């Protein structure tokens, strides 16, 4: 078993669904490991269970040891992330350190990248800002070494977010290329991270409309890819963006959505973030008591992580709430606490907020020097943040006026703030700043300037009112557009789910049909009834729930059904025959009516008949085994459970019964054909022996006739010699002539008798070989010569010449009688079909070695040849071009069977019209 490759950071919903579907097909440690990683945020409890199963099963997995170590470490990462989300930081840190050690030991760069990324998340929750940057830097280096471009972009987007909280202006410059990417061209996982970064940067720069568009898209992509933690943070940030546009209702909707997700996941840190933003929204709505209660609950929830950014935000919002309520001392205490946390976390944005809040509170308390120090410290940090810089210069002017009473000195700060505002294109200074500058000019005696600034302040108030109304309208429009897009997206999602369910159903049906197609091919390929039934039983169990199965076939008379196969509770059985007119038998009824029966026990009459000794089945299906219009039997499957047989099972059963009917009918026909072939083969053997006897008798006639003629001549000469001997009239020359004649005659008789004896011996051997499948070692040339002798008379009468081209050294171990029978059939086939209307016919019987263990044997003629269509059917049983003229159509079929079964070889034909034909046998030298 091979270990899975390193997984993606997160998985899109469609890939996750495919993973789930694959796991449903059967248990797989590799799939469980991948699924545990993919579900660590979207389904934490399940991910925890899967991770524990994987860790327990790794030792017996068969994976290489490095892969076991790497995946054991990754499962610890899963459990570490779950502990982090539950704010169990010590457990999370311990598991993370163990995982990172294992991954580093195996030099698993991708695993190390994921571990450093999780370490950065832990540092962020603990408020360790520098460690966040350090860990993300290490993660990026690992991803770059691994060559994982998708992880690299994802991690760079994470680092960009961290940089934005440190210094927005620098972050925009550093990550300009990443911010400019077309997210639609990215994978959903990376697109969510890049859109999140884009929305955060735009929101921090008070560009709320593009921020909302980007963050909404990031939220959707985060949910689609299982990035639940990011989705909750985005819902919180969308709430902030909407109250930045004074659209508080939409803000509360988003914050409620985020809080609901966090509560469903059971993540206290994420719940606290949404509660903090909701508290700030309530403050801006003027509902300060509710805001205070919400923020205090948030801080109590975060008691275990007081240094986290969420706790710092809640503290900042609480300080603003106290300040708005005129509770300056509690506000100052909260800003002081915020300053300590910001310094500890090295978070510039929080330092600026804390110092600005402290300056205002100290000014209200009359502690002018401290207020100035706080404002100046914040001003040094606020590089590139125009709105904050203008606010700080304004506060410095207020402090200067309160501290010195000199409007001229205060005006320097006011004018500097207004100058900064004027230099920034599109920036509108607060009307209160213009009014403060007008008041200072009036105190300085410059009434025209004071009047001018007062007029500008009034115009700005009106303009700001109009802009705020426009912003609210734009926010409302944006909100409606997003809601409309979400509704359309939800509609499309539901359609997609519906289509996916339909697709799954169709795919399931398609898979069943494919399986059934394979079953059909396997069933119809079998030509023996027992094999057909065995294959049928195996596939029925694979497709349908079966506790009992039986196949009944009609007998030859068509009056009763006999049990060809029965299986119940894993045990075979054979029922007695069932009369076709048996009114109690559902099998007989199915055959009589020629239709399916699908029955449930609850629907049957109480008095229904049940075979004694059988189980009470709750669901039953009967189907006729139909071939065309003929019904040859019935198949039934039965189950002890309900519901057992739905649409899918009915479809499978119907198809199986159709395939089974064809296969069983073929098996019956094949059995009949086999019987007929055996009968014809026996007749062919007898015919061949008859032909051979006739040929041998003809061949014996010559030597025996010659011997008889010479014996008669010698006998007459001997009688004549005996008479002359009696008369005493013999001379020496008579004696010599008598002896010579007898020697010559006897030599001829001896040669003739030797030839006859050889023919008799050959005949006896061939007769023995033909009478049964006698296996022995033999010379192929000898068998071919015997065939030539057997066919000699028939060939001469047909005016054909047979030539032998068989090397004498070719020897075989097998069945010479069957080889001879094949050759005789092929020679006879050539004589019968090849030479109609042709003269000078020649047949060649040849052989040659193909390899050390195989040879080729052929019968070729120079006759009229065959068309391609004829060659395709030539080995089919009962196919003949001489039907009704003495041809049975079984000769070449018998040849084919002998060669490819008994002899273990292969036969093929090659021919062209007018160019003769060639039958070639490829045979092993040793038959199977």
């Amino acid at each position: 078993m091979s270990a899975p490759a390193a997984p993606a950071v997160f998985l899109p919903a469609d890939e996750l669904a495919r993973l789930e579907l694959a796991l449903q097909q059967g248990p797989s440690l590799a799939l469980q490991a991948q699924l545990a990683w993919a579900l660590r945020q979207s389904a934490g409890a399940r991910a925890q269970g899967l991770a524990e199963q994987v860790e327990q099963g790794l030792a017996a997995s068969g994976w290489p040891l490095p892969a076991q170590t790497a995946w054991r470490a990754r499962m610890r990462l899963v459990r570490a992330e779950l502990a982090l989300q539950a704010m169990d930081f010590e457990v999370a840190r311990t598991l993370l350190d163990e995982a990172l050690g294992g991954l580093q030991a195996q030099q698993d760069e991708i695993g190390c990248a994921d571990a450093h990324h999780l370490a950065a998340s832990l540092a962020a929750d603990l408020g360790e800002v520098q460690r966040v940057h350090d860990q993300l830097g290490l993660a990026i280096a690992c991803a770059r070494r691994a060559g994982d471009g998708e992880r690299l972009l994802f991690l760079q987007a994470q680092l960009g977010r961290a940089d934005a909280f440190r210094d927005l202006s620098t972050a925009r410059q550093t990550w300009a290329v990443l911010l400019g990417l077309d997210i639609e061209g990215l994978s959903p996982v990376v697109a969510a991270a890049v859109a999140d970064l884009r929305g955060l940067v735009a929101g921090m720069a008070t560009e709320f409309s593009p921020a909302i568009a980007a963050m909404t898209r990031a939220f959707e992509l985060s949910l689609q890819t299982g990035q639940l933690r990011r989705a909750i943070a985005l819902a919180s940030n969308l709430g902030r963006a909407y109250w930045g546009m004074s659209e508080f209702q939409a803000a509360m909707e988003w914050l409620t959505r985020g809080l609901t997700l966090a509560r469903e996941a059971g993540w206290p840190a994420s719940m606290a973030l949404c509660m903090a933003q909701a508290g700030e929204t309530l403050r801006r709505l003027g509902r300060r008591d509710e805001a205070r209660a919400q923020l205090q609950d948030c801080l109590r929830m975060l008691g275990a992580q007081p240094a986290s950014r969420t706790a710092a935000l809640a503290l900042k919002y609480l300080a603003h709430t106290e300040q708005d309520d005129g509770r300056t001392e509690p506000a100052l205490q909260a800003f002081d606490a915020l300053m300590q946390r910001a310094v500890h976390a090295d978070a510039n944005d929080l330092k600026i907020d804390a110092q600005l809040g402290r300056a205002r509170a100290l000014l209200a308390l009359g502690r002018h020097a401290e207020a100035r120090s706080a404002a100046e410290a914040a001003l040094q940090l606020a590089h590139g943040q125009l709105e904050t810089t203008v606010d700080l210069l304004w506060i410095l002017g207020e402090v200067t006026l309160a501290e010195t009473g000199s409007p001229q000195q205060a005006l320097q700060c006011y004018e500097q703030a207004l100058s900064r505002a004027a230099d920034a294109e599109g920036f509108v200074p607060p009307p209160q700043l213009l009014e403060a500058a007008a008041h200072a000019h009036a105190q300085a005696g410059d009434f025209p300037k004071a009047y001018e600034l007062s007029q500008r302040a009034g115009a700005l108030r009106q303009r700001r009112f109009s802009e705020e109304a426009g912003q609210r309208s734009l926010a409302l429009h944006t909100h409606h557009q997003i809601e409309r897009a979400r509704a359309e997206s939800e509609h499309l999602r539901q359609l997609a789910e519906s289509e996916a369910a339909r697709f799954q159903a169709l795919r399931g049906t398609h898979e069943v049909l494919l399986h059934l197609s394979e079953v059909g091919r396997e069933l119809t390929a079998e030509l023996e009834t027992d094999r057909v039934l065995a294959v049928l039983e195996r596939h029925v169990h694979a497709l349908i729930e079966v506790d009992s199965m039986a196949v009944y076939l009609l007998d030859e008379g068509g009056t009763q059904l006999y049990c060809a196969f029965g299986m119940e509770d894993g045990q075979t059985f054979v029922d007695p025959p069932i009369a076709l007119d048996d009114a109690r038998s559902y099998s007989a009824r199915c055959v009589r009516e020629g239709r399916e029966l699908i029955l449930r026990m609850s629907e049957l009459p109480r008095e229904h008949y049940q075979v004694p000794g059988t189980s009470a089945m709750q669901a039953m299906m009967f189907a006729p085994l139909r071939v065309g219009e003929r019904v040859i039997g019935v198949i039934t499957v039965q189950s002890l459970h309900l519901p057992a047989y739905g649409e899918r099972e009915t479809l499978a059963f119907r198809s199986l019964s159709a395939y089974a009917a064809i296969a069983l009918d073929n098996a019956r026909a094949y059995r009949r054909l086999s019987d007929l072939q055996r009968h014809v083969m026996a007749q062919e053997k007898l015919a061949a022996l008859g032909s051979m006897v006739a040929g041998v008798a003809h061949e014996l006639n010559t030597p025996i006739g010659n011997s008889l003629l010479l014996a008669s001549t010698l006998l007459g000469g001997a009688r004549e010699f005996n008479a002359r001997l009696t008369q005493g009239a013999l001379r020496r020359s008579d004696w010599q002539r008598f002896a010579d004649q007898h020697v010559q005659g006897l030599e001829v008789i001896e040669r003739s008798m030797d030839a006859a004896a050889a023919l008799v011996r050959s005949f006896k051997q061939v007769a023995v070989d033909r009478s049964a499948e006698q296996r022995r070692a033999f010379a192929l040339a000898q068998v071919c010569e015997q065939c030539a002798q057997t066919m000699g008379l028939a060939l001469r009468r047909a005016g054909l010449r047979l030539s032998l081209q068989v090397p004498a050294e070719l020897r075989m171990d097998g069945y010479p009688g069957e080889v001879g029978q094949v050759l005789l059939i092929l020679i006879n086939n050539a004589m019968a079909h090849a030479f109609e209307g042709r003269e000078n016919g020649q047949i060649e019987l040849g052989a040659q070695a193909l390899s050390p263990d195989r040879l080729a044997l052929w019968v070729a003629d120079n006759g009229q040849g065959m068309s391609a269509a004829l060659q395709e059917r030539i080995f089919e049983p009962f196919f003949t071009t001489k039907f009704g003229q003495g041809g049975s159509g079984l000769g070449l079929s018998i040849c084919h069977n002998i060669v490819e079964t008994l002899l273990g070889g292969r036969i093929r034909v090659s021919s062209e019209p007018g160019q003769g034909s060639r039958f070639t046998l490829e045979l092993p030298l040793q038959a199977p």
Side-chain angles (χ1 to χ4, degrees):
M1 182 189 297
S2 59
V9 190
F10 290 97
L11 280 183
D14 56 343
E15 293 184 25
L16 184 62
R18 281 196 290 271
L19 199 60
E20 291 273 20
L21 184 63
L23 189 59
Q24 290 174 12
Q25 307 304 316
S28 165
L29 193 69
L31 292 175
Q32 288 175 328
Q34 291 175 308
L35 199 57
W37 177 254
L39 295 175
R40 66 191 186 280
Q41 286 192 15
S42 57
R46 187 165 176 225
Q48 175 91 14
L50 287 168
E52 291 172 356
Q53 289 178 27
V54 171
E55 287 187 274
Q56 292 169 5
L58 279 171
S61 66
W63 297 357
L65 188 59
Q68 291 187 39
T69 303
W71 275 97
R72 184 174 289 106
R74 190 169 285 280
M75 293 303 99
R76 282 187 168 82
L77 281 185
V78 171
R79 294 198 285 126
E81 186 158 352
L82 295 171
L84 171 62
Q85 291 158 2
M87 293 176 61
D88 197 345
F89 300 120
E90 287 306 314
V91 172
R93 193 187 298 278
T94 300
L95 289 168
L96 181 57
D97 290 344
E98 290 175 1
L100 187 58
L103 293 163
Q104 287 173 336
Q106 298 303 321
Q107 298 182 343
D108 184 345
E109 296 288 4
I110 291 178
C112 288
D114 293 338
H116 287 303
H117 176 224
L118 183 56
S121 299
L122 175 61
D125 282 359
L126 294 173
E128 301 168 352
V129 175
Q130 185 55 50
R131 181 169 169 77
V132 171
H133 285 76
D134 293 343
Q135 290 297 319
L136 286 174
L138 291 170
I140 288 170
C142 290
R144 185 174 283 116
R145 284 196 295 270
D148 191 330
E150 182 161 311
R151 258 185 181 78
L152 185 60
L153 281 175
F154 178 85
L155 293 167
Q156 286 174 335
Q158 296 294 96
L159 184 57
R161 289 184 92 259
D163 285 348
F165 289 120
R166 264 189 170 179
D167 189 327
L168 179 62
S169 178
T170 304
R172 291 187 99 155
Q173 293 176 6
T174 303
W175 303 105
V177 174
L178 195 61
L179 288 166
L181 289 175
D182 175 15
I183 64 169
E184 300 307 323
L186 303 173
S187 72
V189 174
V190 176
V194 173
D196 182 11
L197 172 61
R198 185 179 297 169
L200 176 70
V201 168
M204 292 181 72
T206 67
E207 300 163 0
F208 295 121
S209 185
I212 288 171
M215 286 191 286
T216 303
R217 181 64 177 142
F219 178 81
E220 294 168 351
L221 290 168
S222 297
L223 287 182
Q224 291 173 17
T225 54
Q227 300 182 66
L228 190 57
R229 183 166 175 157
R230 185 188 299 279
I232 295 169
L234 281 161
S236 167
N237 290 338
L238 277 160
R240 290 186 63 184
Y242 272 111
W243 50 247
M245 298 180 75
S246 302
E247 184 52 54
F248 298 110
Q249 181 180 352
M252 286 303 294
E253 287 177 7
W254 273 105
L255 291 168
T256 303
R257 188 173 298 167
L259 188 57
T260 301
L261 287 173
R263 282 176 175 156
E264 288 174 351
W267 296 348
S270 297
M271 284 190 276
L273 176 62
C274 295
M275 290 170 66
Q277 303 291 18
E280 174 66 358
T281 304
L282 290 168
R283 178 188 78 82
R284 289 174 180 253
L285 286 168
R287 295 155 59 180
R288 289 188 288 274
D289 289 341
E290 295 175 60
R292 184 182 292 109
Q294 181 90 317
L295 292 166
Q296 287 171 344
D297 285 346
C298 174
L299 287 168
R300 278 193 292 273
M301 183 177 286
L302 293 171
Q305 53 175 61
S308 72
R309 182 172 181 84
T310 301
L313 287 174
L315 193 58
K316 180 177 97 170
Y317 298 152
L318 181 61
H320 284 307
T321 303
E322 302 288 14
Q323 202 168 47
D324 290 351
D325 224 9
R327 295 160 52 88
T328 308
E329 283 292 349
L332 180 60
Q333 291 173 9
F335 281 124
D336 285 341
L338 177 63
M339 187 63 196
Q340 292 175 2
R341 295 187 185 187
V343 169
H344 175 73
D346 192 24
N348 278 357
D349 62 325
L350 294 179
K351 289 179 188 177
I352 295 167
D353 289 339
Q355 292 288 33
L356 180 57
R358 290 183 70 250
R360 284 176 175 154
L362 290 166
L363 176 61
L365 291 171
R367 296 159 62 177
H368 302 141
E370 294 175 77
R372 175 181 294 279
S373 176
E376 288 175 346
L379 195 59
Q380 291 179 352
L381 295 171
H383 175 69
Q385 298 186 32
L386 178 61
E387 186 176 2
T388 304
T389 301
V390 170
D391 283 346
L392 287 168
L393 289 170
W394 176 15
I395 288 293
L396 280 172
E398 296 287 318
V399 171
T400 300
L401 185 61
E403 189 177 24
T404 65
S406 169
Q408 286 82 4
Q409 293 183 32
L411 279 170
Q412 291 178 5
C413 294
Y414 294 147
E415 293 295 341
Q416 191 177 359
L418 290 170
S419 175
R420 290 285 185 91
D423 289 342
E425 184 179 354
F427 181 75
V428 180
Q432 298 91 331
L433 173 58
L434 291 170
E435 289 171 346
H439 182 66
H441 276 291
Q443 285 182 317
D446 189 353
F447 296 106
K449 187 66 173 177
Y451 178 75
E452 178 196 344
L453 289 172
S454 295
Q455 290 293 105
R456 284 178 60 193
L460 279 177
R461 279 188 184 279
Q462 184 63 37
R463 177 181 168 188
R464 176 159 287 192
F465 177 78
S466 299
E467 286 178 350
E468 286 179 354
Q471 268 194 329
R472 282 194 293 273
S473 175
L474 178 61
L476 189 61
H477 178 66
T478 302
H479 181 62
H480 286 165
Q481 280 188 321
I482 290 170
E483 287 303 315
R484 180 180 175 184
R486 182 176 294 107
E488 291 177 354
S489 175
E490 178 64 17
H491 176 63
L492 291 173
R493 185 188 65 77
Q494 291 176 356
L495 281 177
E497 286 182 354
S498 174
E499 286 298 312
R502 182 169 169 271
F503 170 74
Q504 290 296 342
L506 288 174
R507 185 165 72 174
T509 303
H510 178 65
E511 288 174 353
V512 170
L513 291 174
L514 285 178
H515 190 174
L516 287 171
S517 177
E518 292 296 325
V519 172
R521 279 195 288 271
E522 188 175 352
L523 273 173
T524 52
E526 298 293 345
L527 291 173
E528 294 181 7
T529 301
D530 290 344
R531 287 288 305 148
V532 170
L533 292 170
V535 172
L536 178 64
E537 189 267 339
R538 173 161 49 85
H539 286 294
V540 165
H541 278 284
L543 289 166
I544 305 172
E545 180 183 338
V546 175
D547 293 305
S548 177
M549 171 186 168
V551 176
Y552 300 90
L553 298 177
L554 273 172
D555 63 4
E556 294 293 336
T559 60
Q560 63 179 6
L561 294 166
Y562 68 90
C563 183
F565 176 85
M567 176 79 70
E568 184 169 325
D569 297 329
Q571 301 296 319
T572 58
F573 67 85
V574 178
D575 281 342
I578 302 170
L580 195 59
D581 58 0
D582 189 336
R584 299 178 303 172
S585 170
Y586 292 115
S587 297
R589 176 184 163 190
C590 178
V591 174
R592 286 196 309 270
E593 298 178 4
R595 64 183 181 90
E596 293 176 354
L597 299 177
I598 301 176
L599 308 172
R600 290 178 176 81
M601 180 68 76
S602 58
E603 299 169 354
L604 298 177
R606 289 188 177 181
E607 62 275 11
H608 85 279
Y609 175 73
Q610 180 177 330
V611 177
T614 61
S615 303
M617 298 295 168
Q618 298 299 311
M620 296 169 278
M621 289 195 293
F622 296 81
L625 297 172
R626 186 189 300 277
V627 182
E629 296 301 317
R630 293 184 298 116
V631 175
I632 65 170
V634 62
I635 177 173
T636 176
V637 294
Q638 304 178 16
S639 173
L640 291 167
H641 309 289
L642 284 175
Y645 304 133
E647 183 179 351
R648 174 182 171 276
E649 289 76 16
T650 305
L651 169 66
F653 182 61
R654 186 175 297 132
S655 299
L656 284 170
S657 64
Y659 288 133
I662 294 170
L664 289 168
D665 195 52
N666 287 346
R668 181 179 291 180
Y670 179 72
R671 186 177 64 252
R672 291 171 180 166
L673 175 62
S674 297
D675 292 343
L676 178 59
Q677 282 184 321
R678 282 192 291 272
H679 177 68
V680 171
M681 285 177 69
Q683 288 184 328
E684 287 282 340
K685 285 185 178 182
L686 291 174
L689 280 172
S691 176
M692 183 173 64
V693 167
V696 168
H698 176 77
E699 294 297 329
L700 285 173
N701 186 55
T702 300
I704 292 175
N706 292 339
S707 297
L708 285 172
L709 177 61
L710 283 171
S712 175
T713 301
L714 290 175
L715 180 59
R719 286 173 179 166
E720 181 185 350
F721 183 80
N722 187 48
R724 293 179 66 185
L725 178 62
T726 304
Q727 297 170 3
L730 290 177
R731 297 187 296 272
R732 180 178 180 86
S733 60
D734 293 331
W735 282 97
Q736 186 64 44
R737 187 169 54 255
F738 176 79
D740 291 343
Q741 287 175 349
H742 276 70
V743 168
Q744 292 173 2
L746 289 172
E747 285 177 348
V748 172
I749 290 172
E750 182 183 33
R751 287 197 297 274
S752 296
M753 290 300 101
D754 283 343
L759 282 171
V760 170
R761 284 195 301 273
S762 173
F763 172 72
K764 286 173 64 179
Q765 182 62 61
V766 171
V768 170
D769 288 340
R770 293 291 187 278
S771 64
E773 294 171 357
Q774 296 290 327
R775 183 182 186 120
R776 63 183 177 84
F778 63 95
L780 180 60
Q782 185 178 0
V783 171
C784 293
E785 287 169 0
Q786 290 171 357
C787 290
Q789 289 176 356
T790 300
M791 298 300 298
L793 177 61
L795 288 166
R796 285 194 292 275
R797 286 175 178 173
L800 303 176
R801 186 167 64 85
L802 176 68
S803 63
L804 292 177
Q805 303 291 334
V806 182
E809 66 271 12
L810 285 180
R811 296 190 62 79
M812 300 179 68
D813 180 0
Y815 304 94
E818 306 305 318
V819 173
Q821 184 176 356
V822 169
L823 294 176
L824 289 175
I825 291 173
L826 292 175
I827 294 169
N828 270 310
N829 184 71
M831 290 170 59
H833 298 281
F835 301 105
E836 279 188 293
R838 301 175 75 93
E839 296 180 354
N840 300 320
Q842 296 183 12
I843 300 174
E844 178 183 296
L845 175 57
Q848 67 178 28
L850 297 176
S851 67
D853 58 352
R854 293 187 73 80
L855 61 80
L857 177 62
W858 64 85
V859 175
D861 63 67
N862 64 345
Q864 61 187 355
M866 290 180 281
S867 66
L870 193 61
Q871 292 177 60
E872 289 179 2
R873 302 190 59 192
I874 198 166
F875 294 113
E876 292 181 11
F878 303 110
F879 176 75
T880 178
T881 59
K882 297 279 189 179
F883 190 74
Q885 303 174 36
S888 68
L890 284 172
L892 290 180
S893 174
I894 291 170
C895 261
H896 186 274
N897 286 342
I898 292 174
V899 170
E900 301 207 354
T901 56
L902 184 65
L903 301 181
R906 191 161 64 94
I907 183 171
R908 66 178 187 274
V909 61
S910 58
S911 180
E912 292 287 341
Q915 301 298 317
S917 302
R918 183 186 185 96
F919 288 85
T920 303
L921 286 66
E922 289 186 16
L923 301 173
L925 295 181
Q926 185 167 4

